[in-house]
Amino acid sequence: SKTPRKLPKRPTDPVEVYCRLKPLVDGDEDVCATRVSNILLQLEPPEESQSYKAGHRNPTQYTFQHVFDTEAEQKEVFDHVCVPLVEDVLRGKNALLFAFGITGSGKTYTMTGEPGNGGMLPRSLDVVFNSIADLQSERFLIKPDQFNAIEVQSEFNARMEQQRYKASLQAKSRGGTDSPDFIRVPDTLKITELDEDNVYAVFISFIEIYNNYIYDLLEDMDTDELHPKPPQSRTLREDSNHQMFVSGVTEIEVKSTEEAYEFIWKGQQKRRVAQTQLNHESSRSHSVFNIRVVSGPLDSAGAQVIMERSMLTVSQLALVDLAGSERTSRTRATGDRLREAGNINANLMVLRTCMETLRENQASGTTRIVPYRDSKLTHMFKNYFDGEGKVRMVVCISPRSEDYDETVHVMKFAELAQEVQVTRPQIKRVQFDGLLPGRGNAHKLYREAMDQLEEMRQDEERKGVDENIPPPAIASAPSVGQIPMTFSFAISSAPEDLFLYDYFPGCRRHKLVSCDDEFLLPSFAQVLKEKQEMRRRFLGDFAAKQQQLRDLLTRVDGGYKELHQALSEANEAIAVKDREIQKLERRARTGDKKALQDALAFEKQQWAEESDQRLATMRRSMEEKIWRKDEKLRQLKEIVQQQSKKPPAQEVSSPMHVDEMRQVPAVRSRHRKRSLSADTWLDHKPASNFRTGTVLQPQLKKKKTVNTPKLKHLREEAGGCSKYILTHQEQDSQGEVETHLFKGEVWKTRGGGAAMQFTDVETLRSENPIASDKKVTRCQSAPPSSGSESDLSIDCASETTDVEIRVCNVW
């Protein structure tokens, strides 16, 4: 079997983050944030900030897609940030836009704006309706269902719902309207080059996430002042296409920005706001305004939409106004405000955690689970981060020095978000079998041409009748089949001196004297036959020319679409290259700094390791010198003591023979003289030791073997020990196991405890004589001192496989 072909990896785009500085109320206030360039923002810690007190006093620069100064207009921000997203939505792609920042930084103003200067939300609606003004479908022809799907209704059902809708509007108008009374300045931008073979329908919904519960802001509720009904929370569900949606949310079809803005104003009145120490109208919930655009193709004639659900394209733009993060130490929040602040910060923390997990998975190739379900906010928009749409973010910054510490956390989150890659969405391509492109435009031109022909025919009819003919007679003579009836009616109601004007071109002027004229009437009938034949030929030529024009328009429109697609692909390639250039520039700016830091850290580590090695070498050499001096002094002292105890007669005796010297044991005499039968030893053997299996083993008559010594083992009332021995094992430089026996005496202390004074150590070492060329066993006193005449060295040949060497050191 063949190996399956590996699917190509879909291209990705980073989360594009923009920055906007809030204008200062007082121009004399100290600022901590300044705009360095179109893409750089610099933060400088003030002296009263916590970062400055902690030692972080250097300015920090952050990179964005674009940085808007305090004087930037709403139009400028909208054109840079939101217009590409609106264009993507009209072309069938999804988009998500966040407004993020601390409380009071201008997020709601950026998203909603004010009556005379709208934000991104109303301007997006203006651009949508400016672009599809002549391409909208009839109301209720396209309708959403309860499972996040779209269906196409028949014209009869749509007309019935239109009548019910008009009746409800009339009832509301009689009861009084609650619409805004301010003047709004619309945006005139228009997205061109849309597919004119489709019709479009726009639906809006407005929700808020308050204390991690979802509420519908467009829900019609009973206005009972005595017993008000609390709002019902909504739930998140997943549709058949694995898309997250709010179940039971109100979704309204709108046909203009003014109609949509009435619902926006209605939802804003229901949104939860409160006053805090930092903001007079602080948003206590996250709001989500969703614009859903549905497009459906026209039939072969270009007159009606095809009633097929599978041929519909659905895209949506989500505009999210996140509640501001805040510190309770500054807002002085208590009660409900404190609980709201806790939920807001928790949701934002989950969003940050999801961003970090996504970045780690993309950077290291891991598959950690992203905790989308920990918050309703992240769970709702998980599809966007999984590759179902473009994601952008506007970070609103308050440049006041008092907000520096909170702004630093916002900058860290923005820096983290820019490192997250989102899979580029794919446009749903619907195959139209047998449907020629340009049919919508051709049908439109055909209707215009037919209207012009109707106007020309009516004008010719008006010219062919005398001005004195009453208007009803003139109006009732447009068709050829009705000409005799109309003519007789005109004759009966006309005066005697009626002349036949050029109602039929090519007919000579004659005066009708009598109704029995045998010459004029046959001539007139012949003229009518000729004109009818001429009209038939004209209609045939017109139909042929119309078909030629339609074919020409189809070819031109097809070529135009190919050119437009090529241009779009070229623009996308240019955008990808621009993003790569920006990424390389950021990497170049940060790469040099990181390389220097890495080099400096490497040098520091190298110098530290070298210094440690030198220090350890010097310490070992000094310890060895001190040990040698102490050993020399000890040996000299023993010699002096032995010579002082001997009688004078023995001092002049002959020197000891070499064979007798070899019988001297390598153990101090004081150990041989003292009896150890009355002493009890505390044998400390750690659990990590193992039996070596050697012949020589320490033999202790009275002992207590423990793994971990305690104070109770040393007390007299519990049969305490007066001697202590510690067994320690390690590996020497030759790879053999050495066993050290550290011995000491136990002394009582004034506090009722016990102390140990180490006296000496014995070392048991095993060697394999087969591994060496000479099978020689050396028994030496450890460690030997250079140049000492009192060193005792015994060499003896042995053929055994294991040799034990006993070394005693005095501490």
Side-chain angles (χ1 to χ4, degrees):
S1 61
K2 295 182 179 180
T3 303
R5 185 179 59 182
K6 187 176 180 180
L7 296 176
K9 187 177 180 180
R10 291 174 58 184
T12 59
D13 296 321
V15 176
E16 299 178 358
V17 182
Y18 298 81
C19 180
R20 185 180 188 183
L21 293 175
K22 178 185 177 182
L24 293 173
V25 178
D26 187 0
D28 297 332
E29 293 184 8
D30 296 332
V31 297
C32 64
T34 54
R35 178 174 178 263
V36 179
S37 65
N38 291 334
I39 60 174
L40 286 180
L41 179 75
Q42 178 171 308
L43 289 182
E44 186 171 358
E47 296 182 358
E48 62 273 9
S49 64
Q50 297 296 329
S51 300
Y52 188 88
K53 296 176 182 178
H56 304 287
R57 302 180 180 181
N58 296 328
T60 309
Q61 291 186 353
Y62 298 92
T63 305
F64 296 92
Q65 291 290 326
H66 192 87
V67 180
F68 300 98
D69 204 352
T70 56
E71 299 179 356
E73 297 291 339
Q74 295 276 61
K75 174 68 174 175
E76 179 184 357
V77 179
F78 174 73
D79 291 343
H80 276 83
V81 179
C82 202
V83 169
L85 300 182
V86 176
E87 185 174 359
D88 288 345
V89 170
L90 291 176
R91 301 190 189 283
K93 299 180 182 179
N94 297 329
L96 172 63
L97 178 61
F98 282 109
F100 184 79
I102 65 174
T103 180
S105 59
K107 302 181 298 300
T108 304
Y109 176 78
T110 301
M111 297 300 294
T112 308
E114 54 189 8
N117 192 11
M120 296 189 185
L121 197 155
R123 291 180 183 272
S124 299
L125 291 170
D126 286 334
V127 175
V128 168
F129 287 109
N130 292 341
S131 305
I132 63 172
D134 300 332
L135 303 175
Q136 294 193 61
S137 64
E138 295 185 10
R139 191 185 293 271
F140 301 118
L141 187 63
I142 299 175
K143 184 180 179 181
D145 59 8
Q146 298 179 354
F147 303 101
N148 202 35
I150 301 294
E151 59 183 8
V152 181
Q153 294 192 125
S154 62
E155 292 186 1
F156 176 76
N157 293 333
R159 297 289 173 81
M160 294 296 293
E161 289 201 21
Q162 290 175 12
Q163 293 178 3
R164 289 194 292 268
Y165 178 72
K166 291 179 181 179
S168 63
L169 289 181
Q170 292 176 1
K172 289 182 180 180
S173 62
R174 286 194 299 267
T177 58
D178 193 19
S179 60
D181 56 353
F182 49 78
I183 299 175
R184 194 183 65 86
V185 180
D187 198 303
T188 59
L189 182 63
K190 179 180 179 181
I191 304 297
T192 58
E193 302 174 357
L194 294 180
D195 191 357
E196 296 183 353
D197 296 333
N198 292 344
V199 292
Y200 297 85
V202 181
F203 301 88
I204 62 171
S205 61
F206 201 7
I207 64 172
E208 71 171 353
I209 303 176
Y210 176 72
N211 288 339
N212 209 25
Y213 289 96
I214 301 174
Y215 296 97
D216 187 0
L217 296 178
L218 300 183
E219 181 183 10
D220 289 332
M221 301 179 61
D222 297 335
T223 57
D224 190 355
E225 297 180 356
L226 296 178
H227 303 284
K229 183 180 179 181
Q232 298 294 324
S233 63
R234 306 295 180 179
T235 58
L236 281 176
R237 297 187 183 277
E238 189 174 10
D239 61 7
S240 58
N241 296 324
H242 305 288
Q243 301 290 325
M244 302 306 301
F245 72 100
V246 181
S247 178
V249 71
T250 303
E251 197 165 11
I252 302 172
E253 183 179 6
V254 291
K255 295 298 181 182
S256 65
T257 307
E258 287 71 19
E259 182 183 359
Y261 204 78
E262 291 183 2
F263 293 104
I264 296 173
W265 186 81
K266 175 184 175 181
Q268 290 287 356
Q269 301 301 314
K270 294 182 180 180
R271 189 180 177 187
R272 291 174 174 86
V273 295
Q275 181 178 359
T276 62
Q277 293 289 336
L278 300 179
N279 195 356
H280 293 290
E281 293 185 359
S282 177
S283 301
R284 314 309 296 171
S285 63
H286 312 293
S287 68
V288 180
F289 187 83
N290 196 55
I291 304 174
R292 186 147 70 151
V293 179
V294 182
S295 61
L298 296 172
D299 57 5
S300 59
Q304 296 179 353
V305 63
I306 299 177
M307 298 181 64
E308 276 294 334
R309 177 184 294 185
S310 60
M311 302 186 74
L312 297 178
T313 302
V314 182
S315 59
Q316 59 185 11
L317 171 62
L319 302 174
V320 184
D321 181 11
L322 295 176
S325 58
E326 58 187 33
R327 290 185 178 180
T328 55
S329 59
R330 296 189 62 194
T331 58
R332 308 292 182 184
T334 57
D336 292 340
R337 304 289 85 80
L338 181 61
R339 184 163 60 93
E340 294 165 356
N343 285 288
I344 291 171
N345 293 334
N347 290 336
L348 298 179
M349 183 59 66
V350 173
L351 179 61
R352 180 186 180 91
T353 304
C354 293
M355 292 283 191
E356 290 178 348
T357 307
L358 285 172
R359 183 189 62 176
E360 291 178 4
N361 290 343
Q362 295 167 2
S364 59
T366 58
T367 57
R368 288 182 54 193
I369 298 176
V370 184
Y372 291 121
R373 294 179 177 269
D374 292 351
S375 172
K376 295 290 180 62
L377 178 67
T378 54
H379 193 196
M380 182 185 301
F381 300 113
K382 65 179 291 292
N383 301 109
Y384 290 91
F385 294 101
D386 291 341
E388 296 296 335
K390 184 180 291 185
V391 181
R392 286 189 177 184
M393 182 181 298
V394 179
V395 176
C396 298
I397 300 298
S398 175
R400 298 190 311 166
S401 58
E402 293 84 356
D403 300 329
Y404 174 80
D405 292 323
E406 289 83 359
T407 304
V408 169
H409 294 287
V410 174
M411 291 293 102
K412 291 180 179 179
F413 178 78
E415 193 173 23
L416 169 66
Q418 291 185 91
E419 298 177 0
V420 176
Q421 298 287 329
V422 178
T423 305
R424 188 177 302 172
Q426 294 180 348
I427 302 178
K428 177 183 176 183
R429 301 291 183 183
V430 181
Q431 300 294 333
F432 304 113
D433 296 334
L435 299 179
L436 297 176
R439 59 191 181 279
N441 193 17
H443 178 72
K444 182 179 178 181
L445 294 176
Y446 171 74
R447 292 294 301 271
E448 292 178 355
M450 293 300 295
D451 293 340
Q452 292 179 1
L453 286 176
E454 185 66 22
E455 291 179 358
M456 292 172 59
R457 188 176 61 81
Q458 291 179 2
D459 293 340
E460 291 177 356
E461 289 177 355
R462 294 189 186 97
K463 293 179 181 179
V465 182
D466 188 69
E467 297 179 357
N468 295 327
I469 298 178
I474 297 175
S476 60
S479 62
V480 177
Q482 297 178 353
I483 286 179
M485 184 186 303
T486 305
F487 181 74
S488 61
F489 177 78
I491 294 296
S492 62
S493 60
E496 295 181 356
D497 56 350
L498 176 64
F499 285 92
L500 291 177
Y501 290 95
D502 293 335
Y503 184 80
F504 299 103
C507 183
R508 299 175 58 186
R509 295 183 63 181
H510 296 279
K511 185 175 181 180
L512 185 61
V513 179
S514 174
C515 295
D516 299 332
D517 193 344
E518 297 179 356
F519 174 75
L520 183 59
L521 291 179
S523 301
F524 188 69
Q526 183 66 26
V527 170
L528 288 177
K529 291 180 180 179
E530 294 177 357
K531 296 301 180 183
Q532 187 175 5
E533 182 65 23
M534 185 181 299
R535 183 176 184 275
R536 187 183 62 79
R537 292 197 303 269
F538 284 164
L539 289 176
D541 294 341
F542 175 75
K545 296 294 184 183
Q546 183 184 13
Q547 185 63 33
Q548 293 178 3
L549 178 61
R550 183 174 294 178
D551 296 340
L552 179 60
L553 289 174
T554 301
R555 291 194 300 270
V556 172
D557 190 69
Y560 174 76
K561 286 186 176 181
E562 292 178 358
L563 293 176
H564 177 68
Q565 184 176 0
L567 180 61
S568 300
E569 294 176 355
N571 291 332
E572 290 182 359
I574 293 173
V576 170
K577 295 299 181 181
D578 291 340
R579 285 192 293 268
E580 291 179 356
I581 291 172
Q582 293 179 2
K583 186 177 180 180
L584 292 175
E585 289 178 351
R586 289 196 299 268
R587 185 179 298 175
R589 286 193 297 268
T590 59
D592 297 339
K593 182 178 178 181
K594 186 176 181 181
L596 292 175
Q597 291 178 353
D598 294 342
L600 181 60
F602 178 75
E603 292 292 336
K604 286 183 178 180
Q605 183 178 2
Q606 190 174 5
W607 276 104
E609 292 178 355
E610 187 174 354
S611 300
D612 293 340
Q613 292 178 358
R614 290 181 180 179
L615 182 61
T617 303
M618 294 177 63
R619 184 177 296 172
R620 286 194 298 269
S621 62
M622 294 298 294
E623 289 178 354
E624 186 177 357
K625 289 180 181 179
I626 294 173
W627 182 84
R628 287 176 179 177
K629 290 182 180 180
D630 292 342
E631 185 67 18
K632 288 180 180 180
L633 291 175
R634 185 187 63 78
Q635 292 177 0
L636 290 174
K637 186 177 179 180
E638 288 184 354
I639 293 172
V640 171
Q641 290 178 354
Q642 291 178 359
Q643 291 179 357
S644 62
K645 292 180 180 180
K646 293 180 180 180
Q650 294 179 359
E651 293 180 0
V652 295
S653 61
S654 62
M656 186 180 297
H657 196 266
V658 178
D659 296 335
E660 297 178 356
M661 292 179 61
R662 291 181 180 178
Q663 298 177 359
V664 177
V667 183
R668 292 187 301 174
S669 59
R670 65 185 184 91
H671 291 281
R672 300 174 59 86
K673 295 178 180 180
R674 184 175 177 179
S675 176
L676 303 179
S677 61
D679 295 330
T680 302
W681 290 81
L682 179 62
D683 188 7
H684 180 191
K685 290 185 177 181
S688 59
N689 292 351
F690 61 92
R691 298 183 62 85
T692 58
T694 57
V695 176
L696 294 181
Q697 294 288 340
Q699 298 293 332
L700 302 174
K701 294 182 179 181
K702 299 176 64 177
K703 65 177 180 178
K704 291 182 180 180
T705 305
V706 295
N707 293 331
T708 303
K710 297 183 180 179
L711 183 60
K712 65 180 182 179
H713 299 142
L714 304 176
R715 292 179 178 175
E716 293 183 358
E717 56 270 15
C721 302
S722 59
K723 296 292 184 178
Y724 174 80
I725 182 170
L726 170 63
T727 304
H728 173 68
Q729 292 179 342
E730 63 182 11
Q731 187 177 8
D732 61 1
S733 61
Q734 302 297 328
E736 302 293 342
V737 179
E738 287 186 355
T739 303
H740 301 277
L741 304 176
F742 297 90
K743 298 184 294 182
E745 298 179 356
V746 179
W747 301 90
K748 295 182 180 179
T749 60
R750 291 185 178 183
M756 285 175 287
Q757 180 181 6
F758 290 99
T759 57
D760 56 10
V761 60
E762 294 183 5
T763 302
L764 302 179
R765 184 172 60 226
S766 299
E767 294 181 356
N768 188 1
I770 301 177
S772 59
D773 295 333
K774 296 180 180 181
K775 299 180 180 180
V776 179
T777 304
R778 173 173 296 179
C779 180
Q780 60 185 9
S781 60
S785 59
S786 60
S788 176
E789 296 180 356
S790 61
D791 295 342
L792 300 178
S793 177
I794 301 175
D795 298 338
C796 57
S798 176
E799 296 180 358
T800 58
T801 57
D802 291 332
V803 180
E804 296 183 0
I805 301 173
R806 186 169 182 271
V807 182
C808 298
N809 298 335
V810 179
W811 289 9

